[in-house]
Amino acid sequence: MASSSGDDEFVVLVCSDPNNQIETDISNEEIVISTTDFSTWDYPSTLSFSTFKIQAHRNRLIEESSYFRGLLSGSFSESCLDYISIQWQSETFLNVVRCIFGFRLDITSKNFIPLFQAALYFGVEMLLMQLKSWLSEASLSKDPGLFQIQLEDLIDIWDFGLELDNGFVQEICASYLARNFMWAMSNKIFKDTPYELLLLCIKHPHLTIDGEKHLSDALLIWLHSNTEQLERSSKTECEFFDILKQIRISLLPLWFAAGKRSSISFSELANESVDSIFKLMKVTPKGSMNVLGDGDLSHLRIRLTKYSKKVDLSGCPQITPMILLLSFLPNNHNSYLALRKTIKESASNFEQADGSKCQITQSLLPTLSFEAVLEVDISGCLKLPLEDAIDYFSNSFPFLRRVKAAYLLNFKMTTLYRLIQKCSLVSEVDITVDVNPLISSQLSVISSSSAVISVAPNRAYFVGDKFSMTSLYHLGPSLSNITKLTLEGRSDVCDSHIQYISKFCASLCYLNLKGCISVTDVCMANLIRRCTKLQSLLVCHTSFGMNSVLALCNASPSFSNSQSAQFGKRPLDSLASNLQLLHMGGCKCADEASLLELLSQTQMLKSLCLRDTNLVDSALCSFSGSLLEVLDVSNTMISGAALHHVVCTNPGLKCLNARGCKNLFQPENTKKEAKISSSYSCEELFIELGRTCRLEEIALGWGLSYFSLQALKPAILSLRVMTVGLGGTLPEDSLRLLPTTCPLLESLVLYFQVISDCMIINILTSLRQLQTLALCYCLGDISISSFNISMPNLRILKLERVTPWMTNNDLVLLTRNCANLVELSLLGSKLNSDAQCIISHGWPGLISLHLEDCGEVTENGVSSLFNCIALENLLLRHNGSGIQRNFILEAASKMPMLRQVALDVCDAKEGDFDLPDDADRYSLRSVKIARCKSTRCNVGSHFADTTRKPVHRETLVLVWNSTNVVKTVVKERL
């Protein structure tokens, strides 16, 4: 039909979707709609038709679309028609028309490509602008959830841009991936990221990662997953592996770099990284000038962008104030010149007394502010003066909320006060150290002494202004926003410190005092009364006792003026009634009556640890809560009936530890509790667990058997962690069925069980996600064939008194099949001194190594083991009397992260060991040296001589904290 002229003339666009496979009735084959009123469009209904007709203004089409401009105003035959036929995907073409007529579209990562294709084909510049605007906003938005593009869509968009040779799209994709790299690397299809996109991303200035380790992990995973692509690609292998050169190897954690020395693709860079880390650790303030040099310093800059939310420097002992300041400066030549000048001026002002202090003033440098950073982790940053770091953080991270500085003994309580003063928005602080090994109340102390340690003379940098603890105390509690405070292992924390905390941290919701052995029960009680918002309290191995329980059980001071304090009265507003987490394992100061009163008021608890306490049935049965997810009653006197009572009322239980409960499945021989049925049988507990719970972790001993495991089956289908202790008797059939019963198992620990090659092979073959395997004091015959299976996911392996046949050759096989171990414990084997080399080459990234009664490993001294430079925990006992006298000092200097050492005088070449002073201990937290005595062993009258067997006599324990060193001699073997 010929068209008529006029400004308002319409043209009918007849759109058919060539890909529409919807079967419809003839009456529903087409629909007529108009652009005059978009509000009348029933969008879902319109798309259900195979063909639709759109009445559209001819002039608007000509104005906004080059396709229709050429078609309707040119010399084509269609220019005089009222009907134009369009073959296109229905939804996409409808959106194109809506855009032409001024309707703003809902663009997503799913429809971006079809809309872009349509915009190019129909020449709709307005739509192209909308698409580019959406992509830009998605890339630049600081809220990644607002315009989130799924990774698979991003890859498709990149490929589309590459096909079009559209630099804008490619740049936006690289920028988006760079900004959201932490999110992308955790996606299972990250391995499908095109090489060109990945390379452009990691070179992008907006690359945002928590730490250099995360980038390294991501690239290694990508390379491993693209081996076949590498082989098919025209690029050489070197070109692909050049991507690893983008990693700033000087900023990797020491343990990570050490572990990657055995990696085929990363070994060269890992060795370079280790060398660089040790060089940086040896740099003095004056030597910083040489490190800075005159060249590009990008390789020493911590990656910080305006999108950074977390800065993870944990495990990096090489981080210094110079590296921090360098990272906070603009990345340009003038900034580097300013830093060099400042360090040079500071170096010229060395204190002549020891020449070790250098003041670097941040205010003289043009440092940047990163307002998005909320969290910092500097755990193990040994070379970083904490006061300096706090000053830098307060200036460059103004909205900092969370600080973790674990395993730093130089983090004193005055340092904590400074942090709270300078970074006033901080709400979470974690300054954990290793718990004192002398926490057990069962130890027999022979002698003990302490000495105040001197201030470390080798501190490299300092900040000029001094901090007054007293002045802070008088500022009052309004100063602090702290809601979560972790002081675990801080034996230097005393009552005066807790008094300060209770005053300026009145908003505490979470408090961890585990192992704070210097804090009294009375002081903890006073803190509890002040901090009325407490919901989580961890006080394991402290003096937590009746006074603290009383403070929890009486009415909150905020709601009650009562001065009475006694058990028996149960106020509805007690502090205990608000607790959601209570861990008080090892607290022997709380008697049965106080435990009963406490548990009767903790109905909101989700996590409860009463391990190794005075817990009895009556106290456990008084627990009235129904929200428990975690319960630890190990090493207590409770019965199975009492535990059954708690399980019945807490169907959400996920983690249960009842190991070491000798009364758990024995007939009750004490008077029955009113709440416990006299007809109880031990099987009922497992039946109830199987019926109501879905456990993720379980640890049991006494009473665990084949039949109980069968009853548990429904409850342990999602089990991740399983420990079978003394008293548990799982036959081989039960253990062989574990992969079927618990297919998701990640950790398996067996004590005193009967094992065999067949059983071990079945477990290791089937449970491919297993990360921890411990076989301790088990019976049965196993051989090296049990471990002739590749286990790349295994991280922790403990073989204690189960491999007396193990030789060096067997150890070599273990290094090949368990290549990624970070913790190894061997007790009882036939190794020789060459085993040191096998261990250090096979597992260079070990952080924990225990070797005891392993033949002659140390008969010729210790040498190759020093190559395990990332060790944090080392035990060497009864492996040969060749360990050099200065071993502890040498180990501390060559293994800078080493915190715990345990030796035996039997192995000392000269009969004793030199003990480190504070200046030589580096990271050492504790040293344990056992001493044996020889006893005659009667081996029969037909032998001419009797043999002498070493028997433990005593243990010397040295423990350092931020203020002193304590030397203790105990009878027990620790």
Side-chain angles (χ1 to χ4, degrees), residues 181-182 185 209-219 312:
F181 193 83
M182 294 298 297
M185 65 174 284
I209 53 176
D210 293 349
E212 211 64 24
K213 176 190 82 72
H214 302 282
L215 176 61
S216 305
D217 268 335
L219 296 184
D312 185 0

Side-chain angles (χ1 to χ4, degrees), residues 177-447:
L177 183 60
R179 182 173 62 85
N180 296 290
F181 193 83
M182 294 298 297
W183 158 78
M185 65 174 284
S186 62
N187 194 301
K188 61 182 180 181
I189 70 163
F190 175 77
K191 58 183 176 58
D192 298 327
T193 306
Y195 171 80
E196 291 80 6
L197 172 58
L198 187 59
L199 183 60
L200 194 60
C201 160
I202 62 177
K203 289 183 175 181
H204 200 281
H206 285 169
L207 178 62
T208 303
I209 53 176
D210 293 349
E212 211 64 24
K213 176 190 82 72
H214 302 282
L215 176 61
S216 305
D217 268 335
L219 296 184
L220 287 171
I221 290 171
W222 185 91
L223 285 169
H224 177 74
S225 301
N226 286 271
T227 303
E228 292 184 5
Q229 178 188 349
L230 180 92
E231 294 172 352
R232 296 193 306 265
S233 174
S234 59
K235 293 182 174 63
T236 65
E237 183 175 347
C238 290
E239 284 180 289
F240 265 93
F241 283 92
D242 274 350
I243 200 170
L244 294 176
K245 294 182 179 179
Q246 302 302 319
I247 298 170
R248 298 175 183 177
I249 56 174
S250 298
L251 302 179
L252 288 172
L254 178 59
W255 65 266
F256 182 86
K260 295 303 178 183
R261 288 185 297 178
S262 60
S263 168
I264 296 176
S265 57
F266 201 73
S267 58
E268 184 178 343
L269 287 176
N271 285 321
E272 290 180 21
S273 176
V274 169
D275 291 342
S276 178
I277 289 170
F278 274 88
K279 286 179 181 178
L280 287 172
M281 288 185 64
K282 295 176 181 177
V283 171
T284 63
K286 197 169 185 178
S288 297
M289 293 297 298
N290 298 326
V291 173
L292 290 176
D294 296 319
D296 182 29
L297 301 177
S298 296
H299 66 289
L300 291 176
R301 291 176 61 92
I302 301 165
R303 296 183 199 264
L304 289 169
T305 72
K306 61 181 179 181
Y307 305 106
S308 297
K309 292 185 177 181
K310 180 179 179 180
V311 179
D312 185 0
L313 302 175
S314 59
C316 296
Q318 72 275 25
I319 299 298
T320 64
M322 181 268 291
I323 291 178
L324 274 186
L325 283 176
L326 179 64
S327 307
F328 294 156
L329 294 174
N331 191 8
N332 57 54
H333 184 67
N334 290 337
S335 298
Y336 298 159
L337 289 177
L339 180 58
R340 292 187 183 101
K341 180 180 178 181
T342 302
I343 292 179
K344 185 176 181 180
E345 292 175 351
S346 302
S348 65
N349 296 324
F350 274 5
E351 294 184 7
Q352 298 301 316
D354 55 23
S356 62
K357 296 182 179 180
C358 173
Q359 181 176 5
I360 300 178
T361 308
Q362 187 183 12
S363 59
L364 301 179
L365 297 169
T367 53
L368 301 174
S369 177
F370 301 92
E371 298 182 355
V373 173
L374 301 177
E375 183 175 355
V376 168
D377 189 345
I378 54 172
S379 302
C381 292
L382 310 177
K383 289 278 288 183
L384 188 60
L386 295 168
E387 290 81 0
D388 299 24
I390 290 170
D391 281 356
Y392 299 162
F393 294 159
S394 67
N395 290 326
S396 292
F397 304 149
F399 295 101
L400 190 62
R401 294 292 195 278
R402 295 178 290 278
V403 175
K404 185 173 183 180
Y407 309 116
L408 297 174
L409 291 184
N410 60 330
F411 199 117
K412 301 182 180 182
M413 292 305 293
T414 51
T415 312
L416 174 63
Y417 305 147
R418 183 183 190 88
L419 172 65
I420 294 172
Q421 183 189 52
K422 302 286 285 187
C423 305
S424 59
L425 296 181
V426 166
S427 60
E428 298 180 17
V429 178
D430 183 351
I431 53 174
T432 296
V433 296
D434 297 298
V435 173
N436 191 323
L438 298 172
I439 57 175
S440 175
S441 59
Q442 307 300 319
L443 293 177
S444 303
V445 177
I446 298 174
S447 64

Side-chain angles (χ1 to χ4, degrees), residues 253-261 315 407 434 795-797 820-825 839-840 843-850 865 867-875 895-901:
L254 178 59
W255 65 266
F256 182 86
K260 295 303 178 183
R261 288 185 297 178
Y407 309 116
D434 297 298
R795 307 284 285 172
I796 300 173
L797 178 63
N820 296 314
L821 287 186
V822 294
E823 295 187 25
L824 174 66
S825 178
I839 290 172
S840 61
W843 299 300
L846 282 177
I847 61 173
S848 177
L849 176 63
H850 288 195
L865 280 185
N867 292 324
C868 294
I869 54 176
L871 275 176
E872 300 173 4
N873 185 327
L874 176 62
L875 182 148
M895 303 170 179
M897 308 302 288
L898 189 63
R899 303 197 307 271
Q900 301 176 67
V901 175

